Each structure stands twice: as structure tokens, then as C-alpha cells.
């Protein structure tokens, strides 16, 4: 999912370039390296991002004490490829385009870090908290970019590109949903009451449905695979919700309704199984998980079967309730455990970016030098990610 932008800089022999731009290039190169460094952790990533973003702010924030646009914002051209569009790049001569594109990749890194950590054998409680936090932090970045910085772009994002608000929304909601999956696993492990589990599963299914609906206006060739994944997760967690809601109904001596709820859980689970096959067979960007082969998936299938058999057995011996034709309504609202994005803000402008340095910069020299150069298109090559095979497939994929 990581994409490497090609940075082309005006040949401006000024104090600003010599002092600032060299540090900017170095910090940018280091940040790009961190995306594929398997030893990188959230603390290292934060240090790398803070260093680069604080310097880049010198091209964006007003440094002369006025509210006028920074004259350096449009001096460089940035190219980035996108997660859904292959190696076809988009380019903008705008430092904010670079800011949001790089921050997008930081969010993707946090989501991938969470997936890699969750893929370990015997995940500890501390590691589970790190997974949960990384997903919420990624959601916070997507949210901040969409609400604050993408609207500032001079050229609106193209349809289906990473900076398309619909794509941003989908990533944000999916990160929230996957964070809640960690919560659901926790409450099941600690044997919390079935009502809470059903409510959390229902909320999570709704997140996946919302993410899927957000993509329904994108071209199928770039969104079908992603949508299949979101749909299978939606039906999977609806199966969870109906299964645990059935347990709640049985505990309330509503055995007929309990049976109906468990029957609906079976239908949702079967639909999720069918969507797993569609997902594996659908071509499109992104890696392919195999959720139907994972323990969390098969365990639910067994739980639904056992619980339904118990309800039918109890109804035949004790309750003799008629099974209703209508499925019980899931009017569930979780009071606890809902994942919210962690607030994200870019760091302040670097101390190197002073008004004195800013005023010495003559933009016309750079424009003349650039105009004199023959234009050469540079190929934008995707960053090669390490071939990491998790100790177990979590069945969770983002991007």
C-alpha cells in the first residue's frame, strides 16, 4: 500500500535551500525508509514523522506574521501513486499535497503495524492494547486529513484516488471497525455478558456496512475486492450479534425468539462464508486474507451450531414456544467498548523555519532555473515492502 513520491526541487542557491531543503530531503528519505523497516515501532515512526512534517510546515504555514499564503507552498512538484490505482501517479505542485500524501502513508503504516502485531502467536495483553491504539491512531490521521487538509488542496482529489474523501472515510471507518474487533475478542475472552458482546458485534457490523456503502460509487475494477472484504466482515459480525442476542433471549426465557435469532445467525454466517470465496476469487488491488480458514471464523460457526441445538432442545423439553416468523430486531447500542479515533495534529513549524530565513528567499530565481531545464518525466516506482509472513493469518487486511 505504500507509495513513493518523486520529489523534484527547484535549483535555488539560497540560504533557505542550503539550510532547510537539505534537512527536508534527509528527513523525507528517512521517513520513507521507516515505512519498510521491520524494526520500526510507533515511537520511532513518531520521531521520523515529527521531524519531516515540522520542516515541511515551513513550506505551508505563514512565516511572515500575516495570513497570506506561504510563497513557498507551490514551488515544488510532488508525485504519488495510489493504493487503488496501481502505479499510475498523480502530481500536484503543492506542499499540502505532499503533506497529506505522506501522512496517509503514516496512517497505513500504523494499520499494517497493528495487523503484523495481531498476527503473532500468543498475543499479550500489552500487544493487544498496542494493536487497538495503532488502529485508532490511524483512524485519527485519516479523519484529520479529510476534515482539515484535503479541503485546502487547490486541485481537488481525483475520483478513486487515496485523497478522495470517500476513500479516506472508508479507511477511517474500517480502522475503527478493526479496533472494535480487538475489543470484542477481549470481552469474549473475559466472559462478559452476552448483551454487551451482541451490541459491540452489531455496532462493528454497522461500521463495515457504512464503509462498504461509502465505496459504492467508485469504479468496480478498483473497489470490488475491497467491498467484498467489507461485506464479508459485516455479515460475520451480524452472525456474532444474532448468536449472542439469541443467548440473551434464552436467558430471558424467550426460547422461540432465541431459536429464530440463532437461525438468522446461521444465515449470516453462511453468507459470510460465500463472500469469503468471492473475495478470494475477485481480482483487485491489495493482498488477500483467508478469514474463513482462521480460528476466529470457524469458532463462531461451531458456537452458533451448539447454541441453536441447545435452544431447540430446551424448547422441546421445557418451553414449547412457537418460533416466530419475524427475526427479532437488534435494537442494540453498546454503552462501552466503542472505538473512537485518537486525535491527531501535525507538529509545529520547525525552529529552522524563521521569518528571517523566509524573507531571504527569492522565488523568481528558482522559477528561472526550472524553466531553463529540459523537462524529463521521472518514473514513480512503488516502495518494495518486506515479505512478512505473520505467524498466523489474522484474517484482517487494510489497503
Amino acid at each position: 500500500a505504500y507509495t513513493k513520491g518523486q520529489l523534484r526541487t527547484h535549483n535555488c542557491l539560497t540560504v533557505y535551500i542550503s539550510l532547510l531543503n537539505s534537512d527536508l530531503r534527509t528527513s523525507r528519505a528517512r521517513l520513507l525508509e521507516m515505512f519498510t523497516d521491520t524494526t520500526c515501532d510507533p515511537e520511532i515512526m513518531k520521531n521520523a514523522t515529527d521531524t519531516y512534517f515540522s520542516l515541511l510546515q515551513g513550506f505551508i504555514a505563514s512565516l511572515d506574521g500575516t495570513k497570506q499564503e506561504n510563497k513557498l507552498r507551490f514551488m515544488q512538484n510532488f508525485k504519488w501513486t495510489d493504493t487503488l490505482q496501481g502505479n499510475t501517479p498523480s502530481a500536484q505542485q503543492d506542499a499540502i499535497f505532499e503533506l497529506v500524501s505522506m501522512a496517509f502513508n503514516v496512517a497505513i503504516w500504523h494499520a499494517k503495524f497493528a495487523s503484523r502485531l495481531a498476527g503473532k502467536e500468543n498475543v499479550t495483553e500489552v500487544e493487544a492494547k498496542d494493536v487497538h491504539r495503532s488502529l485508532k491512531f490511524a483512524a485519527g490521521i485519516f479523519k484529520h486529513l479529510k476534515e482539515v487538509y484535503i479541503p485546502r488542496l487547490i486541485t481537488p482529489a481525483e475520483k478513486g484516488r487515496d485523497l478522495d474523501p470517500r476513500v479516506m472515510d472508508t479507511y477511517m471507518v474500517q480502522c475503527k471497525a478493526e479496533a472494535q474487533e480487538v475489543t470484542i475478542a477481549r470481552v469474549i475472552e473475559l466472559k462478559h455478558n452476552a448483551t454487551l458482546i451482541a451490541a459491540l458485534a452489531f455496532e462493528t457490523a454497522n461500521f463495515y456496512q457504512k464503509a462498504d456503502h461509502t465505496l459504492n460509487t467508485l469504479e468496480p475494477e478498483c473497489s470490488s475486492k475491497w467491498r467484498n472484504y467489507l461485506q464479508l466482515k459485516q455479515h460475520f459480525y451480524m452472525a456474532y450479534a444474532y448468536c449472542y442476542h439469541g443467548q440473551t433471549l434464552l436467558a430471558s426465557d424467550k426460547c422461540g425468539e432465541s431459536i429464530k435469532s440463532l437461525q438468522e445467525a446461521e444465515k449470516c454466517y453462511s453468507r459470510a462464508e460465500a463472500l469469503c470465496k468471492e473475495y478470494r476469487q475477485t481480482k483487485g488491488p491489495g493482498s488477500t486474507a483467508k478469514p474463513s480458514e482462521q480460528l476466529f471464523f470457524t469458532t463462531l460457526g461451531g458456537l452458533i451450531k451448539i447454541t441453536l441445538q441447545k435452544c431447540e432442545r430446551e424448547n422441546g423439553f421445557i418451553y414449547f414456544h412457537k418460533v416466530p416468523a419475524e427475526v427479532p430486531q437488534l435494537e442494540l447500542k453498546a454503552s462501552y467498548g466503542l472505538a473512537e479515533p485518537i486525535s491527531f495534529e501535525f507538529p509545529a513549524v520547525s525552529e529552522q523555519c524563521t521569518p528571517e530565513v523566509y524573507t531571504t528567499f527569492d522565488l523568481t530565481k528558482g522559477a528561472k532555473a526550472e524553466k531553463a531545464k529540459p523537462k524529463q518525466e521521472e518514473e514513480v516506482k512503488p516502495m518494495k515492502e518486506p515479505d512478512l509472513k505473520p505467524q498466523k493469518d489474522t484474517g484482517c487486511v487494510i489497503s
Side-chain angles (χ1 to χ4, degrees):
Y2 300 126
T3 49
K4 186 173 183 178
Q6 297 292 320
L7 177 62
R8 291 184 287 156
T9 310
H10 296 274
N11 184 23
C12 305
L13 301 178
T14 63
V15 173
Y16 194 96
I17 286 295
S18 61
L19 293 179
L20 175 62
N21 212 34
S22 60
D23 287 345
L24 187 71
R25 283 178 171 276
T26 300
S27 61
R28 186 180 196 272
R30 172 169 168 73
L31 179 52
L32 290 172
E33 288 175 2
M34 290 300 99
F35 290 145
T36 57
D37 186 343
T38 58
T39 64
C40 183
D41 60 29
E43 184 177 353
I44 296 173
M45 178 57 67
K46 184 180 188 318
N47 291 334
T49 55
D50 283 355
T51 300
Y52 179 60
F53 288 144
S54 66
L55 289 168
L56 186 61
Q57 293 276 35
F59 288 77
I60 298 170
S62 176
L63 301 178
D64 58 3
T66 70
K67 293 184 178 181
Q68 292 184 347
E69 194 74 68
N70 189 318
K71 64 184 178 182
L72 307 178
R73 174 179 166 182
F74 306 105
M75 81 173 244
Q76 298 185 108
N77 191 47
F78 299 91
K79 283 186 178 182
W80 285 90
T81 55
D82 296 83
T83 53
L84 300 180
Q85 304 293 337
N87 294 335
T88 304
S90 55
Q92 290 194 33
Q93 194 155 323
D94 187 348
I96 288 184
F97 178 67
E98 164 72 358
L99 184 78
V100 294
S101 297
M102 189 68 85
F104 177 92
N105 278 275
V106 174
I108 291 291
W109 180 89
H110 279 279
K112 285 179 173 286
F113 175 79
S115 179
R116 189 167 75 244
L117 198 57
K120 293 177 59 178
E121 292 286 357
N122 303 317
V123 177
T124 66
E125 182 177 337
V126 172
E127 289 170 334
K129 288 181 179 178
D130 287 341
V131 171
H132 195 245
R133 176 177 173 77
S134 289
L135 288 166
K136 293 195 296 180
F137 190 71
I141 295 175
F142 290 128
K143 184 175 186 291
H144 186 63
L145 295 180
K146 187 214 169 205
E147 293 179 351
V148 179
Y149 282 89
I150 289 178
R152 292 181 62 187
L153 289 171
I154 300 300
T155 305
E158 298 174 46
K159 184 178 179 180
R161 295 283 182 177
D162 287 342
L163 306 188
D164 182 331
R166 293 165 299 180
V167 176
M168 280 282 182
D169 262 340
T170 304
Y171 273 120
M172 180 187 69
V173 175
Q174 183 176 338
C175 282
K176 289 170 62 177
E178 293 191 351
Q180 282 190 192
E181 291 189 55
V182 179
T183 304
I184 291 171
R186 177 69 173 170
V187 297
I188 291 174
E189 181 184 8
L190 295 181
K191 295 181 170 54
H192 282 272
N193 67 71
T195 302
L196 176 59
I197 297 171
L200 282 170
F202 182 58
E203 299 271 14
T204 304
N206 287 340
F207 273 148
Y208 279 118
Q209 184 181 51
K210 179 181 178 182
D212 173 48
H213 288 175
T214 304
L215 292 179
N216 64 10
T217 54
L218 294 185
E219 295 299 326
E221 56 266 24
C222 67
S223 64
S224 292
K225 189 179 184 70
W226 195 359
R227 291 193 66 192
N228 278 343
Y229 171 77
L230 297 170
Q231 289 165 14
L232 75 86
K233 279 300 190 77
Q234 177 207 342
H235 284 84
F236 177 75
Y237 280 100
M238 284 302 292
Y240 247 122
Y242 277 114
C243 178
Y244 280 91
H245 187 53
Q247 293 183 23
T248 300
L249 291 170
L250 180 61
S252 302
D253 296 323
K254 298 177 181 179
C255 196
E257 292 181 45
S258 175
I259 291 172
K260 190 63 179 181
S261 186
L262 267 298
Q263 289 173 344
E264 188 65 19
E266 274 192 326
K267 290 180 182 178
C268 291
Y269 185 80
S270 296
R271 179 58 181 149
E273 285 185 310
L275 284 166
C276 282
K277 294 178 183 178
E278 286 184 38
Y279 168 69
R280 289 197 299 268
Q281 294 168 359
T282 302
K283 293 182 180 180
S287 56
T288 302
K290 298 178 181 178
S292 62
E293 298 177 10
Q294 304 314 310
L295 184 61
F296 81 93
F297 197 98
T298 55
T299 299
L300 176 59
L303 178 63
I304 293 171
K305 183 178 179 180
I306 292 172
T307 309
L308 178 57
Q309 289 175 345
K310 176 185 177 181
C311 291
E312 291 173 334
R313 188 169 57 249
E314 295 300 302
N315 201 43
F317 277 99
I318 303 172
Y319 295 102
F320 304 103
H321 289 170
K322 181 180 179 180
V323 177
E326 296 293 324
V327 178
Q329 292 295 311
L330 289 176
E331 296 177 351
L332 304 172
K333 187 70 177 177
S335 302
Y336 310 98
L338 293 176
E340 289 297 328
I342 293 175
S343 179
F344 173 80
E345 294 284 344
F346 284 106
V349 179
S350 169
E351 294 179 355
Q352 293 178 245
C353 306
T354 64
E356 291 75 22
V357 172
Y358 178 74
T359 55
T360 64
F361 190 82
D362 184 359
L363 197 59
T364 61
K365 292 181 180 179
K368 292 176 182 177
E370 182 71 10
K371 189 174 182 180
K373 288 183 179 180
K375 291 191 179 291
Q376 293 182 343
E377 283 297 321
E378 298 178 72
E379 182 183 1
V380 180
K381 297 180 180 179
M383 300 186 74
K384 183 174 177 55
E385 295 185 59
D387 184 18
L388 294 175
K389 298 187 185 302
Q391 295 173 344
K392 63 177 181 178
D393 187 342
T394 60
C396 300
V397 166
I398 191 159
S399 72

